[in-house]
Amino acid sequence: MSLNNMSEVNVARDAFQRINTYVKPNDLSETDKFYNSWVETYDADYSVIDYKPHARMASTLTASVSDEDKRNENFCVLDIASGTGNCAMTLRNNGFKWTIDGVEGNAAMNEKAKVKNLYRQVVFISTRSSILRLSI
């Protein structure tokens, strides 16, 4: 194995180790701390492990929607648990011009998504809040 390949193996190993430290979903405080610590490497980690759900979603939509409808900015999508904006990025990269709003439960992830300018709005909603209000 070449040094380059060994380096890639180490990067992938590190990404999986970070992902595998995820805490139980019912511990909201620890989950929030986890995502705060992961936000800087989140996008890189998912690219290394070849995460497929966003690509599958875009592929399914592409097969189901006409090219004309893909370009229709009047179509609106709500990206729930929008993270750093990878779902919206995948839609944009596949030619979707739809209006996308995001809702994210981690403030650091929400801020990372905002700077990508993929959403009409991306809203942080505290995991302790039971009410969501979007201005649409």
Side-chain angles (χ1 to χ4, degrees):
M1 185 176 276
S2 73
L3 182 59
N4 187 34
N5 286 340
M6 184 53 90
S7 176
E8 290 172 2
V9 168
N10 289 336
V11 168
R13 182 201 62 227
D14 293 347
F16 276 111
Q17 285 176 343
R18 278 188 291 274
I19 293 166
N20 284 333
T21 62
Y22 179 67
V23 294
K24 295 178 182 176
N26 60 354
D27 187 342
L28 298 179
S29 176
E30 289 301 313
T31 297
D32 200 45
K33 288 179 192 174
F34 170 77
Y35 280 103
N36 285 339
S37 70
W38 191 21
V39 69
E40 291 307 317
T41 60
Y42 182 86
D43 291 339
D45 286 351
Y46 271 116
S47 69
V48 166
I49 64 166
D50 201 21
Y51 188 67
K52 299 277 190 213
H54 299 133
R56 287 187 196 123
M57 173 268 313
S59 176
T60 299
L61 285 172
T62 297
S64 305
V65 176
S66 72
D67 286 342
E68 180 182 346
D69 285 344
K70 280 175 66 171
R71 295 186 298 271
N72 187 340
E73 295 177 10
N74 292 320
F75 282 19
C76 296
V77 175
L78 178 60
D79 183 359
I80 298 174
S82 53
T84 62
N86 291 326
C87 182
M89 178 71 74
T90 301
L91 287 171
R92 297 288 185 241
N93 289 343
N94 282 275
F96 288 87
K97 305 296 183 193
W98 299 348
T99 300
I100 307 172
D101 292 318
V103 176
E104 175 51 37
N106 178 271
M109 294 288 209
N110 188 59
E111 289 305 312
K112 190 101 171 182
K114 279 183 180 179
V115 299
K116 292 180 180 178
N117 293 318
L118 299 166
Y119 296 95
R120 173 177 54 183
Q121 62 182 333
V122 60
V123 177
F124 165 68
I125 180 168
S126 169
T127 53
R128 288 155 185 80
S129 175
S130 60
I131 298 173
L132 171 63
R133 295 179 188 186
L134 290 175
S135 57
I136 299 178

